[in-house]
């Protein structure tokens, strides 16, 4: 666990897998809590280093020996992250929707026009009369089920964006509504950024409000000190919102910063997303030298593989 805190993920995998070998299956009885912590930490480390095959096999034990639904949540969380990162988007979505239903959040998967416009109306209604400062002054979310639901909704964002685009804004809308109703958490910043990106999309072209939502997301992240979500917030704010209001050159340093933060905190999905935004903007928006960009991209790839 200390190695995970220090972002030494490969070393953490070695120690944790050795620990799992030493304790054996007999420890699930007398030392259930300690064994569960060991498996949870191992699955997190395996997810970060990209060993999804070992993670999937490892997940069977905590899911089998769990004494309650809560015991399964960290395993499911790392499992759906792995499913999303490995391209198994439909399985990621289905598993997340199943977990969310047990947490009291029913998420539609077959999005009709009626469902879509109903969800749009609900999220707009929830934000009526709330200024930027009002959103930043919301109380802190404390309900365990809602905090956990926010985590799984966050995991679904990339998977729905890739394989079920009509579902993606529905997920973001639900995160925003839960934030307004139950209070803010670190993932609320991601929710506001995604809502802003939807406002800035061709469906709305509402760039001013989108920019405000992007500022809410960035300010909330700073207020909560949630540096671990910086890669996700920067990817959306500077890759999908601020490009309509600011010079594209202004976003480059933010994507570079987010890449570094992603490597540090084990958020490889969004580390890669940010560096993709960086080089796309640099080449096609800022006229960067092709040879220099190629060299820079190779350095970023090498760092990501270390």
């Amino acid at each position: 666990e200390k190695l995970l805190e220090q972002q030494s993920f490969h070393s953490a995998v070695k120690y944790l897998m050795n620990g799992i070998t030493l304790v054996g299956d007999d420890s699930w009885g007398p030392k259930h809590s300690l064994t569960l912590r060991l498996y949870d930490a191992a699955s997190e480390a395996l997810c970060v280093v990209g060993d999804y095959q070992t993670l999937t096999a490892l997940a069977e034990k905590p899911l089998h020996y769990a004494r309650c639904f809560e015991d399964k949540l960290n395993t499911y969380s790392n499992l759906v992250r792995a499913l999303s990162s490995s391209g198994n988007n439909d399985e990621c979505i289905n598993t997340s929707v199943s977990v969310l239903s047990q947490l009291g959040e029913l998420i539609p998967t077959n999005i009709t026009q009626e469902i879509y416009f109903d969800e749009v109306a609900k999220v707009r209604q929830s934000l009526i009369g709330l200024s930027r400062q009002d959103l930043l002054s919301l109380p802190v979310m404390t309900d365990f089920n809602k905090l956990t639901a926010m985590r799984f909704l966050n995991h679904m964002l990339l998977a729905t964006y890739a394989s079920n685009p009509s579902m993606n804004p529905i997920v973001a809308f639900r995160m925003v509504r839960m934030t307004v109703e139950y209070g803010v958490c670190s993932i609320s910043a991601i929710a506001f950024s995604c809502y802003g990106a939807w406002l800035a999309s061709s469906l709305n072209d509402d760039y001013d409000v989108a920019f405000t939502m992007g500022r809410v997301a960035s300010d909330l992240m700073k207020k909560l000190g949630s540096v671990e979500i910086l890669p996700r917030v920067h990817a959306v704010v500077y890759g999908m919102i601020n490009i309509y209001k600011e010079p594209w050159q202004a976003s480059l340093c933010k994507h570079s910063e987010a890449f570094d933060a992603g490597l540090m905190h084990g958020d490889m999905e969004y580390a890669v997303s940010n560096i993709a935004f960086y080089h796309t903007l640099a080449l096609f928006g800022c006229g960067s030298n092709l040879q220099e960009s190629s060299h820079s991209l190779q350095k970023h790839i090498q760092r990501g593989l270390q």
Side-chain angles (χ1 to χ4, degrees):
E1 290 177 338
K2 288 184 178 179
L3 286 171
L4 286 176
E5 292 175 0
Q6 296 168 2
Q7 292 87 43
S8 300
F9 301 109
H10 288 278
S11 297
V13 167
K14 294 178 182 178
Y15 278 103
L16 292 164
M17 295 306 292
N18 284 335
I20 286 172
T21 301
L22 290 171
V23 298
D25 289 349
D26 293 339
S27 64
W28 282 105
K31 297 180 179 179
H32 182 272
S33 295
L34 179 61
T35 307
L36 183 63
R37 280 177 57 194
L38 185 62
Y39 273 80
D40 283 348
S43 66
E44 180 183 350
L46 288 165
C47 183
V48 172
V49 301
D51 190 347
Y52 305 133
Q53 185 175 357
T54 303
L55 191 161
T56 302
L58 192 76
E60 294 177 3
K61 293 288 179 67
L63 294 179
H64 175 73
Y65 288 106
R67 292 176 176 174
C68 60
F69 177 61
E70 187 176 328
D71 285 351
K72 301 178 181 181
L73 290 173
N74 285 332
T75 298
Y76 276 133
S77 178
N78 291 314
L79 192 57
V80 297
R81 275 189 67 191
L83 289 168
S84 175
S85 298
S86 58
N88 294 307
N89 295 313
D90 290 339
E91 191 176 350
C92 167
I93 293 169
N94 292 335
T95 303
S96 297
V97 167
S98 175
V99 172
L100 285 162
S101 68
Q102 296 179 73
L103 292 168
E105 293 296 328
L106 301 178
I107 308 296
T109 55
N110 184 21
I111 311 301
T112 63
Q113 268 199 336
E114 182 181 0
I115 290 174
Y116 175 77
F117 286 116
D118 181 58
E119 292 291 332
V120 170
K122 286 178 179 177
V123 74
R124 289 190 185 279
Q125 179 66 33
S126 71
L127 291 168
I128 288 178
L130 294 177
S131 66
R132 171 169 160 262
Q133 191 55 48
D134 290 333
L135 294 174
L136 292 172
S137 301
L138 289 170
V140 174
M141 186 182 294
T142 57
D143 186 294
F144 174 80
N145 281 0
K146 301 306 176 186
L147 286 165
T148 306
M150 290 286 281
R151 182 159 45 126
F152 280 89
L153 288 165
N154 179 33
H155 292 333
M156 292 174 66
L157 287 171
L158 273 183
T160 54
Y161 187 82
S163 69
N164 193 344
S166 62
M167 189 180 176
N168 183 260
I170 306 303
V171 173
F173 296 162
R174 182 64 59 90
M175 295 164 76
V176 170
R177 286 169 51 205
M178 287 174 62
T179 294
V180 173
E181 184 173 356
Y182 298 102
V184 297
C185 62
S186 60
I187 296 172
S188 299
I190 302 171
F192 289 126
S193 69
C194 290
Y195 182 62
W198 174 77
L199 289 169
S201 70
S202 58
L203 293 170
N204 301 284
D205 293 333
D206 194 348
Y207 304 118
D208 289 336
V209 180
F211 189 69
T212 297
M213 285 296 162
R215 289 184 62 193
V216 169
S218 297
D219 290 347
L220 183 61
M221 177 184 66
K222 294 173 184 176
K223 179 181 178 180
L224 297 176
S226 304
V227 292
E228 74 281 358
I229 64 163
L230 186 146
R232 298 175 181 243
V233 172
H234 276 17
V236 180
V237 171
Y238 294 99
M240 299 181 178
I241 299 174
N242 285 22
I243 53 173
Y244 296 108
K245 296 283 286 185
E246 296 179 344
W248 287 11
Q249 290 87 341
S251 293
L252 295 180
C253 63
K254 297 297 185 179
H255 289 307
S256 181
E257 177 189 2
F259 174 73
D260 292 337
L263 295 185
M264 180 176 295
H265 296 283
D267 193 349
M268 296 306 299
E269 305 99 314
Y270 282 86
V272 172
S273 296
N274 275 283
I275 217 57
F277 275 125
Y278 177 95
H279 288 285
T280 301
L281 288 175
L283 282 172
F284 300 108
C286 305
S288 295
N289 179 276
L290 185 59
Q291 188 172 2
E292 292 178 0
S293 292
S294 176
H295 180 66
S296 174
L297 178 59
Q298 290 176 24
K299 289 174 63 177
H300 281 126
I301 292 172
Q302 288 173 357
R303 288 186 58 205
L305 293 174
Q306 289 177 353

